[in-house]
Amino acid sequence: NHQIGDPNREVEDSGYEAIFYDNKTFYVVRESIEDANKTYHALIEELIMNPEVNHDSYDVGKVCKTQFEFDGDSKGFEGAIPIHDVTGELVVLGLCEGNHCSESKNLQRDK
């Protein structure tokens, strides 16, 4: 195992909770980030590897905010996998942390 890149490259205290590989591209999922509208969404970042520069080099390509809105920054996606819809478009299936990805429903059980 070998770490690449700077693990402290972001100011926000949001963890990288998933990594997946699809069509020769790596993607990482950041748990829950507050945006300019004061709402919280996971971010999916496309990582572009640069092995010709050196083995530790990558750039962040496209960044996509998820449609799902979280209550705050303490709940988010804890895992993700790539799937493709009937047209072949990449769709990310995220695993929510806690009940309904909610900060307030943490101890409640559905019946």
Side-chain angles (χ1 to χ4, degrees), residues 11-13 22 24 29 33 43 45 47 49 60 68-72 76 78 82 85 91 93 96 100-101 104-105:
V11 176
E12 299 93 358
D13 186 26
D22 183 70
K24 300 182 182 179
V29 180
I33 304 294
L43 295 180
E45 298 177 346
L47 301 183
M49 307 309 288
V60 176
F68 190 89
E69 183 178 331
F70 297 100
D71 294 344
E78 289 294 314
D85 67 12
V91 177
L93 180 62
C96 276
H100 308 283
C101 283
S104 61
K105 295 181 181 178

Side-chain angles (χ1 to χ4, degrees), residues 1 4 6 18 40 43 53 57 74-75 110:
N1 295 340
I4 63 170
D6 180 5
Y40 293 88
L43 295 180
V53 175
S57 180
S74 69
K75 294 292 180 200
D110 288 338

